[in-house]
Amino acid sequence: MKICGLTTQDAVEAAIDAGATMIGFVFARVSPRYVAPEKAAALAELARGKVQIVGLFADQGAEEIHAIRDSVGLDIVQIHGRENRAERFELVRAFPDCMLAKGIWQESDLPGEGDPVPGSWIFDALPPDGYKRQGGHGTPFDWSALKAYRGETPFILAGGLTPANVADAIRACDMFPAFSGVDVSSGVERSRGVKDPKRIAAFVEAALAARAALRTP
Ligand SMILES: O=C(O)c1ccccc1NCC(=O)[C@H](O)[C@H](O)COP(=O)(O)O
């Protein structure tokens, strides 16, 4: 369970205290959640060893990603921009364990033969028309589009998740052996880019309860 786009100490602590397994820092300058690497490094120290620390990049080259990964001490690199096919292959070659975002609207958007194979996919909603950002816009997609996914590469579900719908999302994806968690940003904010510790706690609580119910015979 990943809480993305954290920029403050209280949000980092809320995610850890609630039981999230990953936190994300956004290094894409176009984002309202952008955090400077120096600030992210300080926030990462509060989290190290407690959760995995993910750095999100959009349309940034391998050299810049390497530098930020090393200076912040990221555990995982997330590629979430509008990179073209060749750039995606190059980035996955440079960061084989990365999380690679794929915008999904219908079954034909699922990854297939000839796509790069990352450490895991983030299946996110395709951005609404005219959006400059590839993610973090709070749009859900129809999860039934995932039913044709046969891949073994783990995937994380993102896109418009909230404390109110995360349990349904987990129930919809639990049938996939490759389903490995959920990711949220807008749904735990009080306004664009400003995280709400109470909503973070509610999201994690709802997700953990849904998972526990599915595992209970
Ligand atoms: O969060 C951003 O502002 C952002 C900017 C540029 C590329 C990706 C971005 N976010 C991607 C994420 O990891 C979000 O967690 C994911 O898209 C889900 O977002 P939301 O629908 O707001 O929960």
Side-chain angles (χ1 to χ4, degrees), residues 177-190:
F179 176 51
S180 77
V182 288
D183 174 32
V184 64
S185 192
S186 309
V188 292
E189 291 180 342
R190 65 169 72 99

Side-chain angles (χ1 to χ4, degrees), residues 189-213:
E189 291 180 342
R190 65 169 72 99
S191 59
R192 172 93 32 229
V194 182
K195 291 290 180 288
D196 179 344
K198 287 205 180 99
R199 285 181 71 79
I200 292 175
F203 183 89
V204 177
E205 191 183 324
L208 289 175
R211 261 199 0 216

Side-chain angles (χ1 to χ4, degrees), residues 63-210:
E63 205 175 312
E64 180 183 1
I65 298 175
H66 266 298
I68 294 178
R69 183 191 65 178
D70 294 348
S71 73
V72 176
L74 300 174
D75 297 309
I76 303 175
V77 162
Q78 177 176 340
I79 314 287
H80 211 122
R82 294 175 185 274
E83 299 84 10
N84 64 33
R85 194 179 154 73
E87 289 164 340
R88 295 190 132 217
F89 268 100
E90 196 184 314
L91 289 170
V92 169
R93 209 171 308 121
F95 305 98
D97 295 333
C98 72
M99 294 175 169
L100 184 60
K102 184 103 174 79
I104 309 284
W105 198 249
Q106 51 198 2
E107 280 183 26
S108 57
D109 299 320
L110 290 168
E113 245 176 70
D115 276 317
V117 181
S120 62
W121 292 106
I122 296 213
F123 292 153
D124 198 354
L126 273 176
D129 270 1
Y131 263 56
K132 292 204 180 70
R133 288 182 287 113
Q134 179 68 23
H137 36 71
T139 316
F141 69 98
D142 178 0
W143 307 318
S144 70
L146 299 176
K147 64 179 182 292
Y149 183 65
R150 301 279 178 273
E152 289 178 4
T153 302
F155 74 88
I156 289 175
L157 180 71
L161 298 180
T162 67
N165 69 8
V166 66
D168 286 341
I170 288 172
R171 283 191 285 271
C173 292
D174 192 60
M175 68 187 80
F176 299 101
F179 176 51
S180 77
V182 288
D183 174 32
V184 64
S185 192
S186 309
V188 292
E189 291 180 342
R190 65 169 72 99
S191 59
R192 172 93 32 229
V194 182
K195 291 290 180 288
D196 179 344
K198 287 205 180 99
R199 285 181 71 79
I200 292 175
F203 183 89
V204 177
E205 191 183 324
L208 289 175

